[in-house]
Amino acid sequence: MATLALDPRLSTVTASFVNGKHSMLIDGQFVSAASGKTFPVYNPADGEVICEVPEAEAADADRAVRAARKAFDSGPWSKMTPSERSRMIWKLADLFEQHAEEFAELESLDNGKPVSVARVADVPLAVDLFRYMGGWSTKLLGNTIPLSAGLNFHAYTMREPIGVVAQIIPWNFPLLMAAWKLGPALATGCTVVLKLAEQTPLSGLRLAELIQEAGFPAGVVNILTGFGEGAGAPLAQHDLVDKVAFTGSTEVGKLIAKAATGNLKKVTLELGGKSPAIIFPDADMDVAIAGAASAVFFNQGQCCCAGSRLLAHDSVFDQVVEGVSNIAGRIRMGPGLDPATELGPLVSQEQFERVTGYIDSGTKQGAKIAAGGKRHTDRGYFVQPTVIKDVKPDMKVVEEEIFGPVVTAQSFSTDADLERLAAQANDTIYGLAASVWTRDISTAHKMARKIRAGTVWVNCHNVFDAALPFGGYKQSGWGREMGAEVLNNYTELKAVTIKL
């Protein structure tokens, strides 16, 4: 850990935070785990331990939930006006923005992603999300409803906060996912227990310090570090929790849904994907090839909506595969803190083994490696950006979410109509996202209607905005993140009828 502070690419401010004592935020206080346990956090660029953080367990989860319950039921948060909540969220966004470079460095160090990407994507999108949601605090409106029962009634609806929310976020975009979860919950007047991913807790712990600095009342936001079994499961099961919001794998999402049945708490799930990137022969090939490469290699392929199934028309298939493979071969790999790095390491040894295992599975089943396919350097969790061709629909690399910089390439026939192509694109248990690359506006609109996914991008991929709802069909989840739509996840709708 001492050598980390000497890394010239890490600012003294960030190094000082990383090397300091790390505590969880519960009921307005920074505390250790009740058991005193801690666990190590690793630098994915070299596999070295960089710090220790508290290991929350059931007792810590219970304490945090009870603090959130008190803050919601009788604390000052429940008595704040919408405009007061809005100003507090905006203050947090301003503080966040003031420390933008520190957060970019923490994300890069903790997650492995290029710091250049964190600066232009993760951090500004998180700031924008808080500001966007802060604006909604004063706009949670109801309606007056004319009743068929007659004119002697006055009926209206109102939206109220759902209550105490347990939020469990993943490691691929730790800072951005914290914003996606906290923003709408706070805007609607809920209180929160946020469990950070055990692989990437640092930016969330730094955010906890800003939450305190912004003046949020005790218990409104509680932030835990720990593992799914020890801290996540007790939150999902807790009878004083009114809702669980989870982002992560489909397998864990199913466990969350089962755990929530005890008191029938509300659940939203943003889960896995196996998203197609579909290239038609009339597309601008330079744009489509570069876009398809970015669709899967962005964030080391650790995106739930990564374009991991490349579908290209027969007439351009070879050109597309060669083009994406050439880009893969030119991508500069290295530690995230290196400003020249374009693709960093995977987040952990476990993820490294998962991704390389899928590559091995594909080659054993007869697929061919067109680019990459190997480990990069003997330190850290680096996997070369990989293009796999000669695949069949029933191969694991085609069917299952890999969550790494790996894309499978398949062609579609010249005589395939849009119905058959859409069926090929929809041949997955997931339905999170897709991209369509074409100059034909009619084809674009038709495919957007036929693809069963929560997001369809046309001539682009991985475009996000605080105003755009994001979520999936099928086993990609329940509900939506961001946009006005997310507010429904954190509110209850009450109907009031008065006889005049």
Side-chain angles (χ1 to χ4, degrees):
M1 284 186 281
T3 57
L4 179 67
L6 300 177
D7 187 331
R9 294 171 299 203
L10 198 64
S11 70
T12 56
V13 171
T14 306
S16 176
F17 171 76
V18 173
N19 287 329
K21 176 178 170 57
H22 298 290
S23 303
M24 303 183 294
L25 177 61
I26 299 179
D27 202 15
Q29 301 293 321
F30 287 102
V31 300
S32 301
S35 66
K37 292 180 182 177
T38 62
F39 64 92
V41 179
Y42 297 91
N43 180 353
D46 58 19
E48 298 294 327
V49 174
I50 56 177
C51 65
E52 299 268 341
V53 299
E55 183 178 342
E57 294 180 320
D60 306 291
D62 180 67
R63 180 182 172 191
V65 169
R66 291 184 185 279
R69 184 83 262 166
K70 180 180 178 181
F72 181 80
D73 290 339
S74 58
W77 191 244
S78 60
K79 299 177 180 65
M80 275 192 182
T81 66
S83 61
E84 288 173 324
R85 290 201 309 273
S86 179
R87 287 195 297 271
M88 193 161 287
I89 297 169
W90 269 73
K91 184 176 181 180
L92 176 60
D94 290 343
L95 289 170
F96 201 158
E97 191 170 51
Q98 291 168 22
H99 296 274
E101 180 61 20
E102 184 181 351
F103 277 106
E105 290 184 346
L106 284 174
E107 287 297 85
S108 178
L109 173 67
D110 208 9
N111 169 274
K113 68 179 63 192
V115 69
S116 58
V117 173
R119 285 179 183 133
V120 300
D122 300 62
V123 175
L125 285 173
V127 172
D128 189 54
L129 191 285
F130 278 121
R131 287 182 174 146
Y132 176 86
M133 289 300 165
W136 271 109
S137 295
T138 56
K139 302 171 186 66
L140 301 175
L141 308 178
N143 295 293
T144 56
I145 301 173
L147 300 185
S148 299
L151 299 178
N152 291 326
F153 295 92
H154 175 59
Y156 62 94
T157 61
M158 55 195 296
R159 287 207 169 270
E160 297 181 336
I162 202 167
V164 175
V165 181
Q167 300 181 323
I168 303 171
I169 60 173
W171 45 258
N172 57 336
F173 294 93
L175 185 61
L176 193 54
M177 293 299 99
W180 279 23
K181 292 290 188 287
L182 288 171
L186 296 175
T188 54
C190 296
T191 56
V192 175
V193 181
L194 175 69
K195 193 198 87 66
L196 308 174
E198 62 268 24
Q199 299 90 343
T200 54
L202 294 182
S203 59
L205 292 177
R206 183 68 181 99
L207 180 61
E209 295 181 350
L210 297 189
I211 287 169
Q212 287 293 86
E213 187 176 344
F216 283 83
V220 172
V221 180
N222 305 272
I223 296 182
L224 304 180
T225 51
F227 296 88
E229 300 86 350
L235 289 176
Q237 297 165 358
H238 206 294
D239 284 344
L240 296 182
V241 170
D242 299 301
K243 171 191 165 57
V244 178
F246 171 77
T247 296
S249 71
T250 295
E251 293 76 14
V252 176
K254 292 177 180 179
L255 297 176
I256 295 285
K258 290 179 181 177
T261 59
N263 65 342
L264 290 180
K265 56 177 64 70
K266 306 296 190 295
V267 177
T268 51
L269 304 169
E270 199 268 280
L271 307 176
K274 193 72 178 178
S275 302
I278 307 166
I279 300 181
F280 285 87
D282 67 330
D284 182 324
M285 284 300 130
D286 290 338
V287 172
I289 289 170
S294 176
V296 70
F297 300 142
F298 174 69
N299 206 53
Q300 295 69 251
Q302 296 172 142
C303 298
C304 51
C305 56
S308 54
R309 288 188 299 141
L310 178 59
L311 306 178
H313 189 272
D314 276 341
S315 62
V316 296
F317 179 78
D318 290 340
Q319 179 186 357
V320 168
V321 171
E322 181 181 5
V324 174
S325 298
N326 288 339
I327 291 173
R330 294 195 302 268
I331 292 176
R332 292 190 296 271
M333 301 185 69
L337 288 168
D338 185 338
T341 292
E342 296 174 324
L343 190 143
L346 299 176
V347 75
S348 65
Q349 179 67 29
E350 178 184 7
Q351 191 63 18
F352 174 85
E353 292 173 358
R354 174 186 173 90
V355 172
T356 54
Y358 273 109
I359 296 172
D360 291 343
S361 168
T363 56
K364 287 176 182 176
Q365 290 186 301
K368 299 291 190 296
I369 302 296
K374 297 179 180 179
R375 179 173 195 152
H376 174 76
T377 77
D378 57 358
R379 295 189 74 205
Y381 315 128
F382 293 91
V383 173
Q384 294 175 340
T386 300
V387 181
I388 303 179
K389 63 180 183 177
D390 296 346
V391 296
K392 297 178 181 178
D394 60 350
M395 289 181 176
K396 286 178 63 177
V397 289
V398 176
E399 289 187 323
E400 299 180 15
E401 184 177 40
I402 298 173
F403 224 62
V406 180
V407 62
T408 60
Q410 298 170 271
S411 64
F412 59 91
S413 169
T414 302
D415 60 359
D417 57 24
L418 295 188
E419 290 291 343
R420 288 169 57 193
L421 177 56
Q424 185 178 359
N426 293 330
D427 186 20
T428 171
I429 63 172
Y430 301 109
L432 190 57
S435 58
V436 176
W437 303 81
T438 178
R439 286 188 172 105
D440 189 323
I441 192 66
S442 180
T443 296
H445 282 300
K446 287 178 180 178
M447 288 301 293
R449 292 181 179 182
K450 294 177 188 298
I451 293 172
R452 290 183 51 76
T455 294
V456 177
W457 289 292
V458 177
N459 295 327
C460 57
H461 201 108
N462 288 328
V463 176
F464 303 98
D465 191 275
L468 276 172
F470 182 80
Y473 289 26
K474 298 186 282 186
Q475 293 190 42
S476 286
W478 297 343
R480 293 294 181 268
E481 304 281 351
M482 298 196 297
E485 189 67 27
V486 72
L487 301 167
N488 295 330
N489 296 343
Y490 292 94
T491 55
E492 295 278 22
L493 187 64
K494 178 180 288 184
V496 180
T497 302
I498 304 171
K499 186 173 182 179
L500 303 177

